[in-house]
Amino acid sequence: MTDNICAISTALGAGAISIVRCSGQDVVEIVNKLFKGNDLTKVQSHTINYGFIVDKEEVIDEVLVSVMLEPNTFTCENIVEINCHGGIATTNKVLELLLTNGCRLAEPGEFTKRAFLNGRIDLVEAEGVNDLIFAETEESRKFAINRVEGNLSNLIKKLRESLVSMRAEFEVNFDYPEESDAPEVTHKMVIEELTKIKTKLEDLLNTSKDGEIIKNGINIAIIGRPNVGKSSILNHLLDQEKAIVTNIAGTTRDIVEGTITLDGIKVNLIDTAGIRDTEDIVEKIGVDKSINFFNKADLVIYVLNNNEEIYEKELSLINDNSVEKIIFINKNDLESNIDITKLQNQNIIYGNTVTEKGLDNLKEEIKRLFNFDKLKSNNYNLLANARQTALVKKAINAINNAVESTKNEVPLEMIAVDIDDAFNSLGEIIGETYKDELLDELFSKFCLGK
């Protein structure tokens, strides 16, 4: 990391300003060669300097240049940010001059990667930075900033400290048994302490789904036969005419998607093709997609017409308890021909898409099923992705092995191996230990210039 990097940090396009960011040992000198104004090599750190970016004698743009000197910067390296006028040609020209005067183009996420490698942030905080950039709702923003502030990291570090303390007591007992001041480590004490740590990790694991919901939202598939009102439900929930609504069966042949926000949580709505037997090749593809979304969605809203009997072929889907469902019985103003006894303990809401009756109840039931009140009152110390969840599970497995060994009165030296495994797994979460391949994959998902 001895080279100098640069990248455009703002969205490329017409706008009021663009920011081109540089980081590295020589970036102040590099930018100074292109800058007509104060001598940037002599200005104080964390100052903004007015002037022009020039290419020999040609003025490229009128700019403000921020100079921030190591180590008190985001990357812990010298950072220079050129605030130029927004526009593709101007911004690209400034970038081109930097690239021809000693900088190389930064890789995606390389600024944040340098901040991690230089000890400015840990891996959980780095992931939080990226999630903060892509946060689409208020709750996802709060969730991301919680990790940027290091709250989840501090919780992981405290658990590791407990494991270190236990490990140290082990060392004293089997390396210096003659030390009278050292408390004797008993198997009962070990089980009690490990159980406390395991409980805290299990609490994290049990709320991992909450973190996923806050971060990514909920995927809801609207499923049912043709002409039961699926598209009308989508349009009413979105409050716009997103899907075409007609009385012709099979109008929706492909998925139609839209997004709303309920109490700060993103909800992705998917209107699907009506499920029925068909000889139409295009419609059949749509039906197959519907079944696929039925199996993948976080929640299925299965729509039935109140005045129509339930088809036998539908019952296997309706009563599939492996999928979270709400049964929405539409056209409740008509005489009912539905045999409710066939709906085995299903969550049922009656409504009418013409009068919009029942749609507010549908929203409230969605919020209840996913504990929106709990999500909004949470302290946001939640696992944020599959990587973190897998490592917590690994740590719990190691602790379970240690507890089992302790119950069988295995020597402390052997129990210590499992404790070390748990310690190292938690260390991987915050990046105390890591593989280069992991960093490459993780930071490749970041924006260029961040």
Side-chain angles (χ1 to χ4, degrees):
M1 296 193 302
T2 58
D3 52 351
N4 304 286
I5 59 173
C6 66
I8 300 169
S9 290
T10 48
L12 193 59
I17 63 169
S18 292
I19 298 175
V20 183
R21 172 186 282 178
C22 314
S23 181
Q25 184 176 357
D26 306 316
V27 293
V28 177
E29 289 78 7
I30 291 171
V31 176
N32 195 51
K33 290 189 295 183
L34 308 172
F35 183 66
K36 184 178 180 181
N38 293 334
D39 184 345
L40 300 180
T41 64
K42 296 179 180 178
V43 302
Q44 292 184 338
S45 181
H46 293 74
T47 58
I48 299 176
N49 303 272
Y50 168 78
F52 298 86
I53 293 294
V54 296
D55 181 10
K56 297 176 182 177
E57 299 301 319
E58 179 188 0
V59 174
I60 303 301
D61 193 19
E62 182 182 30
V63 298
L64 293 173
V65 176
S66 302
V67 176
M68 293 162 278
L69 303 179
E70 62 180 1
N72 299 317
T73 68
F74 179 66
T75 61
C76 297
E77 303 171 341
N78 292 331
I79 287 182
V80 177
E81 292 184 350
I82 303 171
N83 294 261
C84 51
H85 286 92
I88 296 174
T90 301
T91 309
N92 279 335
K93 185 61 178 180
V94 172
L95 181 66
E96 175 191 324
L97 290 174
L98 291 170
L99 293 173
T100 56
N101 281 274
C103 286
R104 70 162 173 82
L105 187 63
E107 298 173 357
E110 189 168 0
F111 292 92
T112 309
K113 184 177 182 179
R114 290 189 176 204
F116 165 70
L117 292 174
N118 289 328
R120 167 72 171 72
I121 57 177
D122 64 33
L123 212 51
V124 170
E125 292 167 332
E127 290 172 316
V129 168
N130 197 45
D131 289 341
L132 186 60
I133 293 171
F134 290 101
E136 297 183 43
T137 67
E138 179 64 6
E139 293 303 307
S140 59
R141 181 197 66 77
K142 291 177 181 178
F143 181 36
I145 199 65
N146 179 272
R147 280 171 287 132
V148 171
E149 291 177 329
N151 294 321
L152 177 60
S153 299
N154 290 335
L155 176 59
I156 298 297
K157 288 172 184 176
K158 287 179 180 177
L159 294 174
R160 294 184 86 222
E161 287 170 3
S162 297
L163 291 170
V164 167
S165 178
M166 183 183 300
R167 190 68 169 79
E169 290 179 2
F170 281 19
E171 294 285 348
V172 171
N173 274 261
F174 56 70
D175 284 348
Y176 306 101
E178 71 281 359
E179 292 287 340
S180 59
D181 291 340
E184 180 184 358
V185 176
T186 65
H187 287 81
K188 180 181 177 182
M189 289 168 53
V190 172
I191 291 175
E192 288 177 352
E193 187 61 28
L194 287 175
T195 300
K196 291 178 184 177
I197 298 171
K198 177 187 172 183
T199 299
K200 292 178 181 178
L201 288 174
E202 287 178 335
D203 287 343
L204 270 179
L205 194 60
N206 291 335
T207 57
S208 61
K209 183 65 176 178
D210 294 344
E212 184 179 336
I213 290 173
I214 294 173
K215 178 182 172 182
N216 299 318
I218 303 166
N219 294 318
I220 299 179
I222 306 174
I223 305 287
R225 298 199 306 267
N227 275 7
V228 292
K230 300 185 302 299
S231 296
S232 294
I233 290 174
L234 176 77
N235 289 340
H236 282 301
L237 292 176
L238 294 176
D239 197 23
Q240 60 175 296
E241 296 299 316
K242 184 86 178 218
I244 299 172
V245 178
T246 74
N247 59 1
I248 302 172
T251 300
T252 303
R253 295 189 167 207
D254 202 353
I255 62 169
V256 180
E257 298 181 80
T259 301
I260 60 173
T261 300
L262 286 180
D263 287 2
I265 302 297
K266 180 181 175 183
V267 176
N268 306 305
L269 296 164
I270 305 161
D271 178 24
T272 63
I275 296 176
R276 66 171 178 175
D277 292 330
T278 177
E279 297 300 321
D280 187 305
I281 295 176
V282 176
E283 188 179 358
K284 189 175 186 304
I285 293 172
V287 172
D288 290 340
K289 283 187 177 181
S290 299
I291 299 298
N292 187 42
F293 276 106
F294 177 90
N295 294 317
K296 289 169 53 179
D298 299 309
L299 174 68
V300 167
I301 298 175
Y302 203 102
V303 186
L304 297 171
N305 268 347
N306 190 42
N307 64 329
E308 296 178 351
E309 295 182 3
I310 303 172
Y311 292 177
E312 287 300 319
K313 288 184 178 180
E314 289 184 297
L315 286 177
S316 61
L317 292 177
I318 292 173
N319 292 321
D320 183 351
N321 292 324
S322 67
V323 179
E324 189 76 63
K325 286 187 299 300
I326 297 174
I327 307 299
F328 187 85
I329 299 181
N330 193 20
K331 303 179 183 179
N332 67 333
D333 57 324
L334 302 178
E335 181 181 354
S336 178
N337 289 314
I338 291 178
D339 184 356
I340 297 297
T341 62
K342 291 183 178 181
L343 305 179
Q344 300 170 2
N345 300 316
Q346 295 297 333
N347 187 3
I348 300 173
I349 293 178
Y350 287 86
N352 192 309
T353 54
V354 175
T355 63
E356 299 189 18
K357 185 176 181 181
L359 292 176
D360 286 341
N361 293 338
L362 185 59
K363 289 181 181 180
E364 290 302 316
E365 186 61 17
I366 292 170
K367 291 190 283 186
R368 186 193 69 79
L369 285 174
F370 291 92
N371 297 311
F372 276 29
D373 289 340
K374 175 188 169 187
L375 293 179
K376 292 191 68 173
S377 63
N378 208 298
N379 61 10
Y380 299 102
N381 277 347
L382 307 169
L383 301 177
N385 52 50
R387 182 189 75 85
Q388 295 172 8
T389 300
L391 289 168
V392 167
K393 287 181 179 179
K394 190 176 177 181
I396 290 173
N397 287 336
I399 290 175
N400 284 335
N401 291 337
V403 169
E404 190 62 30
S405 296
T406 306
K407 290 178 179 178
N408 294 327
E409 298 189 354
V410 171
L412 294 179
E413 292 92 330
M414 301 297 294
I415 299 171
V417 174
D418 290 321
I419 292 176
D420 288 343
D421 286 344
F423 177 81
N424 292 330
S425 294
L426 295 179
E428 287 185 57
I429 294 176
I430 58 178
E432 287 294 326
T433 57
Y434 60 86
K435 295 179 181 178
D436 291 338
E437 294 81 2
L438 168 66
L439 294 189
D440 292 342
E441 179 184 356
L442 192 153
F443 288 105
S444 68
K445 300 173 183 176
F446 280 52
C447 297
L448 191 67
K450 186 54 186 170

